[in-house]
Amino acid sequence: GENVEQHPSTLSVQEGDSAVIKCTYSDSASNYFPWYKQELGKRPQLIIDIRSNVGEKKDQRIAVTLNKTAKHFSLHITETQPEDSAVYFCAASGSTDSWGKLQFGAGTQVVVTP
Amino acid sequence: NAGVTQTPKFRVLKTGQSMTLLCAQDMNHEYMYWYRQDPGMGLRLIHYSVGEGTTAKGEVPDGYNVSRLKKQNFLLGLESAAPSQTSVYFCASSYSSLAGINEQFFGPGTRLTVL
């Protein structure tokens, strides 16, 4: 099955700086890569996703890039703000018959200090 | 739309007790999932369902059972709770489309402690 590794496990950044989180996946048939943000005590919520036919996607201060050849994808947050502090999870879909299942990375704790 | 809801929000059990967690969604999604979340381990899939009356095992199914008698509901049962099942449990739902796999929508979670 699909295996997703996520790095780093913790990330501290100064407010206004950029944050980058990287994930690698093992199943070359994976075609959907979402990123979720989970604030303390809350549910995970989708912040951005990308499909395998696209190399990059942006939404205001966040962007995701995908390198299918190397089987890795990254989340970029620019101009970080204190409200960006949370745990971020990447995920990959696995093969096309996966019935919507996602394999999640272990998560990255992002702390934005003023 | 309430989205995905879970009951209860919190529960404390003694070892050996049983309980059922209820997940409900009002988005008419075909797919539903149960995860457990433990520190440093992300979200691990327990069981999932691809439609009413169907269930399948995920990554960590031992000690759990599920049922999906109605499309909108997905129940997770613990027959004989163990301390290792202390965790936060999330339910999620999703749907299929021409684009393929889509976003999973999560419920608010159930915090379970087994003493």
Side-chain angles (χ1 to χ4, degrees):
Chain A
E2 177 65 277
N3 183 48
V4 176
E5 293 190 356
Q6 182 172 346
H7 300 280
S9 57
T10 59
L11 181 60
S12 293
V13 295
Q14 288 285 114
E15 182 177 358
D17 287 349
S18 295
V20 181
I21 303 169
K22 298 181 180 180
C23 289
T24 61
Y25 61 98
S26 60
D27 190 342
S28 57
S30 286
N31 56 14
Y32 177 65
F33 306 90
W35 285 89
Y36 285 82
K37 176 183 180 182
Q38 185 179 27
E39 297 177 350
L40 188 62
K42 304 289 187 181
R43 74 189 78 190
Q45 291 195 299
L46 182 79
I47 54 172
I48 195 167
D49 55 10
I50 192 168
R51 299 190 185 274
S52 57
N53 58 350
V54 176
E56 183 176 2
K57 185 176 179 181
K58 290 183 180 180
D59 183 2
Q60 300 182 337
R61 296 187 297 107
I62 60 173
V64 58
T65 58
L66 172 65
N67 183 326
K68 287 189 295 182
T69 303
K71 290 191 283 188
H72 67 71
F73 56 112
S74 300
L75 178 72
H76 305 253
I77 307 173
T78 59
E79 301 174 14
T80 53
Q81 302 169 2
E83 53 264 38
D84 294 328
S85 295
V87 178
Y88 292 80
F89 293 98
C90 64
S93 61
S95 61
T96 54
D97 62 349
S98 64
W99 300 110
K101 289 186 293 179
L102 297 172
Q103 182 68 43
F104 286 85
T108 297
Q109 174 77 60
V110 174
V111 177
V112 180
T113 53
Chain B
N1 280 357
V4 181
T5 58
Q6 292 181 233
T7 53
K9 290 184 170 57
F10 304 94
R11 186 71 186 269
V12 178
L13 289 178
K14 294 181 179 178
T15 298
Q17 287 185 319
S18 63
M19 77 164 294
T20 300
L21 283 67
L22 171 63
C23 175
Q25 53 95 4
D26 61 2
M27 296 174 284
N28 202 34
H29 287 172
E30 304 101 335
Y31 307 147
M32 296 186 75
Y33 312 88
W34 275 108
Y35 293 93
R36 60 178 289 171
Q37 185 175 37
D38 303 293
M41 301 187 75
L43 293 153
R44 294 184 293 168
L45 183 65
I46 304 171
H47 286 280
Y48 65 101
S49 169
V50 302
E52 182 178 318
T54 72
T55 63
K57 294 180 180 179
E59 182 184 353
V60 288
D62 294 343
Y64 306 95
N65 56 77
V66 289
S67 64
R68 192 162 177 206
L69 300 179
K70 294 183 179 181
K71 186 177 184 179
Q72 63 268 33
N73 295 338
F74 195 27
L75 278 64
L76 177 71
L78 287 72
E79 290 185 346
S80 180
S84 60
Q85 295 178 303
T86 294
S87 188
V88 179
Y89 292 86
F90 285 100
C91 176
S93 70
S94 186
Y95 61 100
S96 62
S97 69
L98 290 177
I101 293 168
N102 295 284
E103 170 189 1
Q104 289 187 11
F105 295 82
F106 284 84
T110 295
R111 184 172 295 277
L112 175 66
T113 301
V114 183
L115 302 176

